[in-house]
Amino acid sequence: SQTIHQWPATLVQPVGSPLSLECTVEGTSNPNLYWYRQAAGRGLQLLFYSVGIGQISSEVPQNLSASRPQDRQFILSSKKLLLSDSGFYLCAWSDGQGGLYGYTFGSGTRLTVV
Amino acid sequence: DQQVKQNSPSLSVQEGRISILNCDYTNSMFDYFLWYKKYPAEGPTFLISISSIKDKNEDGRFTVFLNKSAKHLSLHIVPSQPGDSAVYFCAASASGTYKYIFGTGTRLKVLA
């Protein structure tokens, strides 16, 4: 069966520090991968998605970047964190265009920038 | 520009009664709609979905209704149980776009 792993679960980082969040999927190949952020009052905002190795689509201009160095690995990064980067970050995967089955989400990372 | 809107941030319902969560969308190209349930500090979990060729889909206590002309969908939970207390997100997708757009969520509290 397919599983998605996301870590760390919580992270407290000072303003201006770098960030690296990692997500891996097991039990499938060539998944579509996604990074979402849940901020207070903003729902789930799509940040990046990838339909293949090295293919990254950015949804909103921001202080973050994403990379997909391997088929089932998706990384969210920042060179210098801002206070506004605080939030709950979710990785997700799907095996196609989503359709009626949507995504499977990871357990999330709570990022607090201080 | 919020393409998917959940105008009720919270809802309280008595155990055993019906919970109705609403969602509106603006993009007529959306043809797949999902509902997710989310507990604090966890990832959302898939609940139920519907495609634009249908106006109703049922799964146990959960039913989703789609009104395409009004660009409106709703989730009915009956009977509501305390374990249903969570944040519910609706999401919409257009074929070929690879992505879902989520609403802002509605926090449901079922009172025992």
Side-chain angles (χ1 to χ4, degrees), chain B residues 72-91:
Chain B
H72 177 83
L73 66 154
S74 62
L75 174 68
H76 292 207
I77 307 173
V78 55
S80 301
Q81 299 173 354
D84 296 328
S85 297
V87 177
Y88 289 79
F89 291 97
C90 65

Side-chain angles (χ1 to χ4, degrees), chain B residues 3-8 20-26 30 33-35 64-67 70-75 88-92 101-106:
Chain B
Q3 297 186 65
V4 180
K5 302 177 184 179
Q6 294 176 257
N7 292 318
S8 298
I20 300 176
L21 296 95
N22 294 303
C23 179
D24 297 293
Y25 61 96
T26 58
F30 289 150
F33 304 89
L34 278 66
W35 285 93
V64 56
F65 295 91
L66 176 62
N67 183 334
K71 294 190 178 66
H72 177 83
L73 66 154
S74 62
L75 174 68
Y88 289 79
F89 291 97
C90 65
I101 306 300
F102 283 77
T104 51
T106 296

Side-chain angles (χ1 to χ4, degrees), chain A residues 38 44 88 90-91 103-108, chain B residues 36-39 42-47 87 89 102:
Chain A
Q38 182 185 14
L44 294 175
F88 191 60
L90 289 155
C91 181
Y103 312 139
T104 300
F105 283 89
S107 54
Chain B
Y36 279 82
K37 178 179 180 179
K38 185 183 181 301
Y39 293 116
E42 295 183 9
T45 54
F46 171 80
L47 198 56
V87 177
F89 291 97
F102 283 77

Side-chain angles (χ1 to χ4, degrees), chain B residues 13-73:
Chain B
V13 173
Q14 206 67 35
E15 181 180 7
R17 305 296 292 270
I18 185 171
S19 295
I20 300 176
L21 296 95
N22 294 303
C23 179
D24 297 293
Y25 61 96
T26 58
N27 189 340
S28 58
M29 298 300 292
F30 289 150
D31 50 6
Y32 294 111
F33 304 89
L34 278 66
W35 285 93
Y36 279 82
K37 178 179 180 179
K38 185 183 181 301
Y39 293 116
E42 295 183 9
T45 54
F46 171 80
L47 198 56
I48 193 169
S49 63
I50 191 168
S51 75
S52 58
I53 63 172
K54 300 178 73 174
D55 54 18
K56 177 183 175 181
N57 188 29
E58 195 171 352
D59 184 2
R61 296 186 297 114
F62 302 91
T63 303
V64 56
F65 295 91
L66 176 62
N67 183 334
K68 291 185 290 295
S69 60
K71 294 190 178 66
H72 177 83
L73 66 154

Side-chain angles (χ1 to χ4, degrees), chain A residues 34 36 59 97 99-100 103, chain B residues 36 38 49 96 98-100:
Chain A
Y34 305 83
Y36 278 81
E59 287 295 295
Q97 297 178 19
L100 290 173
Y103 312 139
Chain B
Y36 279 82
K38 185 183 181 301
S49 63
Y98 300 106
K99 61 189 181 184
Y100 276 88

Side-chain angles (χ1 to χ4, degrees), chain A residues 11-51:
Chain A
L11 193 59
V12 179
Q13 292 284 98
V15 169
S17 64
L19 173 73
S20 180
L21 302 181
E22 190 164 342
C23 172
T24 59
V25 180
E26 296 178 356
T28 187
S29 59
N30 197 31
N32 292 344
L33 297 171
Y34 305 83
W35 280 111
Y36 278 81
R37 176 173 61 199
Q38 182 185 14
R42 296 289 301 274
L44 294 175
Q45 183 184 33
L46 178 62
L47 303 176
F48 301 95
Y49 68 96
S50 171
V51 300

